[in-house]
Amino acid sequence: MTAGVPDWKLDGFHVPRYHFDLVDSKTVTDEGGAELPDDIQALDVAEEIARRLSKERPELRGRHFAILVTNQDGKEIGRVPLDILH
């Protein structure tokens, strides 16, 4: 389990790994990532991370922070701004 997210295991299927980085002008890298079934699930996890960070670290709001979601190949899947979720 990474960042409170369970690693999904599907027998006989390749499960992609996603990374969730906190970004503004710099990136705080997610070293482990999480195995999830698809991009939609990864974006849902990013929203939950953004909500939690916005609640636990209110000083990050209003400073253009976002959760950047990338797949195992480094391709950007999407971004979830912390500001829109509080």
Side-chain angles (χ1 to χ4, degrees):
M1 182 150 56
T2 301
V5 179
D7 289 339
W8 296 91
K9 302 294 181 195
L10 300 174
D11 292 333
F13 293 99
H14 171 74
V15 181
R17 179 168 290 279
Y18 294 90
H19 295 274
F20 304 90
D21 300 325
L22 177 62
V23 297
D24 67 347
S25 60
K26 300 177 185 175
T27 299
V28 178
T29 304
D30 168 19
E31 296 295 328
E35 292 178 340
L36 298 165
D38 56 37
D39 293 357
I40 300 299
Q41 183 72 35
L43 290 169
D44 288 345
V45 169
E47 284 186 17
E48 181 56 38
I49 293 169
R51 276 190 190 93
R52 189 176 69 233
L53 276 175
S54 184
K55 181 179 177 183
E56 294 174 3
R57 302 278 312 272
E59 71 274 13
L60 297 178
R61 290 189 226 140
R63 297 180 53 202
H64 306 290
F65 279 97
I67 302 299
L68 169 65
V69 182
T70 55
N71 65 15
Q72 60 198 16
D73 298 324
K75 178 182 173 198
E76 181 174 329
I77 302 304
R79 291 173 187 251
V80 178
L82 269 59
D83 292 339
I84 65 167
L85 296 172
H86 59 89

